[in-house]
Structures are given as C-alpha cells and as structure tokens.
Amino acid sequence: MDIKKVSCVGVGTIGHSWATLFSIKGLDVSIYDMSKELLKSAMERIRFSTNFLAEKGLITEKEASDALSRINLTNSISECVKDSDYVQESAFESYDVKREIFSEIDKANDSTIIASSTSGLLMTEIQKAATKPERCIVAHPWNPPLLLKLVEIVPGKKTAQMTAQTTYDFIEKLGKIPVIVKKEVPGFIGNRLQAALWREALNLVNEGVASVEDVDKAVWAGPGARWGIMGPFLTLHLGGGPKGLKYHIDTIQHGFNEYLKSMNDWKEIPYHAVLKAFAGLEQVPMIKKKSFEDMVRWRDDKLAKILKIQE
Ligand SMILES: NC(=O)c1ccc[n+]([C@@H]2O[C@H](COP(=O)([O-])OP(=O)(O)OC[C@H]3O[C@@H](n4cnc5c(N)ncnc54)[C@H](O)[C@@H]3O)[C@@H](O)[C@H]2O)c1
C-alpha cells in the first residue's frame, strides 16, 4: 500500500510533531483539532519546528516552506480523514475519547489505516469501536515524534497482519525505528521501563537519598549517556568485560538483588512523593532561569546532535 495522504486527528504536543514529520517527508497532511484556536496554535508550533530544522541545516528553507504548504486544517474529523491512506490519532489518553474518534474515522473512511499514538492503552479495547477493527493499530511515538526515532507498533487482537506490516514499513520509510510489541501489555515496552525508573527516582527523592537535580544528573550523565546508543542488555553485556552478560550475571549481579530488596514496590505512585518532587524541581537552576519554550529549544538542540550519532 502506497501511503501518500495522511491525517492527524488531535494536534497537541504529539499530533503537531507528527504532522511536521509527515509534511517534511513530502506527504499531504490534513490536521484536525476541536477548535480554530487549537489548529492555529498547532500551525504555529509546526512553523516553529520547520524553522528549527532549517536553522539546524537538517532541511532547506524551501523544504520548510513546501512542508507548510502541504498541510490542510479542518474542524471536521470526517473532512480530515475522508481521502486519507493513514490516520494518526493523538487525542487525549482516554478509552472513551479514543473510541469515539475511532468510530467517527471508521464511518468516514472505510479503507484507511487508523493508528493511535496512545502511550499505553490497549488497541484491543479501542478497536471495539470500529466496524473494521482489522485496520486499527497502535503506533506509539516518543516525544517529540519529529526527532526521536522509536515508534512502538502494537497490534490489537483483531488487527490484521497486513495492517501491522504496512504500518511498520511506513514508519521505517519515514526514517524511524519501529519495534513490534508481540503481546499487548499496558505501557508497551518503553513506558513500562520508564515507569520502573520513575518509581525509583521518586522513591530516592522521597526518602531524602538525593535531590531531584542530582537524581536527574545520575541518569543523564551516567547510564543515560550509554542508553543513547545501547539498551539494558547490550549495556550489561559490555559491562561484564570480555566474558559478557553471563559473567555480569554470575559475579556482579548479586548486588542488584540487594538493591531490589531495598527498593520501593509502590503499585500506585503516592501523591505525597510527587509533591516532594514538585518542590525539588523548583530548585533546579535551569527551571529557575529558562522559560518552558527555551527549555524545549535547548532539549531539541541537544537531541538533534544525539540523533546524528544514532544514524
Ligand atoms: N506527551 C507525550 O510525551 C506523549 C508521548 C507519546 C505518546 N503520547 C500520546 O499521544 C496522545 C496525545 O498526547 P499529547 O501529549 O499530545 O496531548 P495534548 O493534550 O497535548 O494533545 C491532545 C490533543 O487532542 C485534542 N483532543 C482532545 N479530545 C479530542 C477529541 N475528542 N477529538 C479530537 N481531538 C481531541 C486536544 O484538543 C489536544 O489538542 C495521547 O494518547 C498520549 O498518551 C504522548
């Protein structure tokens, strides 16, 4: 299946970034959100992103303006998706909202692939709202989808193999790194790993082991620097010396068992711990000095450099 026309339904943080990516890759893009104001704000963010890419020399000025000219705005979902080959839904993270949108898309276009950006909801539940559930799938990006390469492809129980393959190929053609989640679990792969780390980061702050700023540093300046090029398995394999992961497990990892025993196993994040994190975050020098927009720019500037070495 040749995907030429795509739609983005919901163009907040994630949707506008998908729309930017699709348009700079030469696709015709139709975007929908609930009001003219939201669409206007999405277009401003898309313009900001294309300018950023042009400034970084990742695309030319002409490519940036051509990308903007390929985007159409509409306040009607059916209008947005009616002649699309692929729809990327990026609305609020709620089964009710997603089911309502999937049902509307399903009625307006009977052949398009309908992909959700959900961070962890199950497609098996969302696709119940569609008369053709076989073309519904999760394509979960990482923020910002314009820059980060990973996209988790997660079929629901009724998703056709052909939908999974076409989505995988499409995402790969966009220059992304797709992975297939073979068995549906909430949070897929990346967010489950992120949740495990987040729980312990909060626990360390809550227990007064370290400040928010130092826990963050202990991630990005330490293991996080390796994670930009390797996952946990290869990292430990190389950490075990020439005898690799087996040596690591046999000789070093007994320490991990001790750490695990002393960790918190919260099944729900307690709000009193989050309040401590909020207070700690206010003390972080960058938060005190920079506006939110400046921090996003700082992040994207650094990310663009990291992504160059991931190629
Ligand atoms: N923010 C992240 O880091 C991130 C990363 C990956 C995936 N996601 C997922 O992407 C999706 C969107 O998240 P976000 O962070 O962009 O949220 P957001 O709040 O920035 O944007 C959501 C957009 O959806 C629109 N919307 C809400 N209800 C709608 C409806 N009924 N019909 C159509 N549009 C509707 C809103 O107006 C808004 O513009 C969620 O499913 C989220 O889990 C988020």
Side-chain angles (χ1 to χ4, degrees), residues 9-16 18 32-35 38 45 77 89-94 96-98 100-101 104 116-121 139-145 191:
V9 174
V11 278
T13 300
I14 294 303
H16 92 274
W18 270 123
Y32 162 88
D33 213 307
M34 295 191 292
S35 71
L38 286 166
R45 293 169 91 178
I77 291 190
E89 169 276 320
S90 309
F92 294 153
E93 184 78 341
S94 132
D96 287 346
V97 168
K98 295 202 187 284
E100 198 185 312
I101 292 174
E104 208 168 332
S116 175
S117 296
T118 177
S119 299
L121 301 178
H140 172 238
W142 284 73
N143 187 34
N191 269 326

Side-chain angles (χ1 to χ4, degrees), residues 10-294:
V11 278
T13 300
I14 294 303
H16 92 274
S17 192
W18 270 123
T20 314
L21 173 74
F22 294 141
S23 65
I24 63 163
K25 294 291 176 181
L27 297 161
D28 289 328
V29 187
S30 178
I31 67 173
Y32 162 88
D33 213 307
M34 295 191 292
S35 71
K36 287 208 167 94
E37 290 67 39
L38 286 166
L39 284 171
K40 192 167 159 250
S41 139
M43 268 321 279
E44 277 163 18
R45 293 169 91 178
I46 293 170
R47 193 167 293 115
F48 178 88
S49 299
T50 51
N51 285 345
F52 169 81
L53 294 177
E55 270 170 34
K56 295 280 150 220
L58 298 169
I59 57 174
T60 64
E61 300 270 333
K62 168 134 181 22
E63 282 166 339
S65 63
D66 286 353
L68 293 174
S69 71
R70 278 191 285 271
I71 300 178
N72 278 304
L73 287 62
T74 170
N75 281 129
S76 150
I77 291 190
S78 55
E79 188 61 32
C80 178
V81 306
K82 68 174 194 253
D83 50 2
S84 275
D85 307 310
Y86 178 93
V87 178
Q88 185 75 40
E89 169 276 320
S90 309
F92 294 153
E93 184 78 341
S94 132
Y95 278 118
D96 287 346
V97 168
K98 295 202 187 284
R99 281 198 200 107
E100 198 185 312
I101 292 174
F102 267 62
S103 162
E104 208 168 332
I105 299 170
D106 183 65
K107 283 187 198 120
N109 180 327
D110 68 358
S111 61
T112 182
I113 287 178
I114 317 174
S116 175
S117 296
T118 177
S119 299
L121 301 178
L122 303 184
M123 182 43 68
T124 295
E125 292 302 316
I126 299 171
Q127 67 190 170
K128 285 179 181 162
T131 57
K132 288 189 165 181
E134 63 275 13
R135 66 208 174 108
C136 302
I137 192 156
V138 169
H140 172 238
W142 284 73
N143 187 34
L146 173 63
L147 296 179
L148 288 205
K149 295 210 185 278
L150 176 63
V151 179
E152 292 170 299
I153 309 287
V154 197
K157 283 206 174 85
K158 296 203 166 162
T159 305
Q161 171 57 28
M162 174 73 94
T163 303
Q165 191 61 55
T166 307
T167 306
Y168 187 101
D169 293 345
F170 174 57
I171 294 293
E172 198 171 42
K173 224 170 141 190
L174 292 170
K176 299 285 154 189
I177 298 179
V179 295
I180 286 271
V181 177
K182 293 191 281 185
K183 192 170 164 186
E184 240 184 350
V185 283
F188 319 135
I189 305 170
N191 269 326
R192 288 174 81 90
L193 295 171
Q194 192 162 242
L197 181 68
W198 169 236
R199 179 168 67 181
E200 189 49 27
L202 263 186
N203 183 45
L204 291 169
V205 169
N206 188 50
E207 292 291 327
V209 174
S211 66
V212 163
E213 188 186 0
D214 280 354
V215 171
D216 268 2
K217 276 185 194 159
V219 175
W220 70 260
R226 299 189 296 221
W227 292 336
I229 52 165
M230 301 179 287
F233 292 101
L234 189 55
T235 299
L236 289 189
H237 182 58
L238 295 183
K243 291 185 185 156
L245 182 62
K246 178 153 182 5
Y247 181 81
H248 206 294
I249 301 285
D250 292 347
T251 61
I252 303 172
Q253 197 142 319
H254 59 84
F256 278 16
N257 292 337
E258 290 309 309
Y259 318 154
L260 287 171
K261 279 180 213 152
S262 69
M263 280 181 195
N264 217 314
D265 60 356
W266 287 322
K267 292 295 172 208
E268 277 184 29
I269 297 294
Y271 211 70
H272 66 82
V274 178
L275 291 178
K276 281 196 191 168
F278 288 159
L281 200 62
E282 279 173 18
Q283 302 311 314
V284 173
M286 190 194 289
I287 303 242
K288 285 186 178 169
K289 274 191 246 145
K290 288 186 195 272
S291 69
F292 184 78
E293 286 70 27
D294 283 347

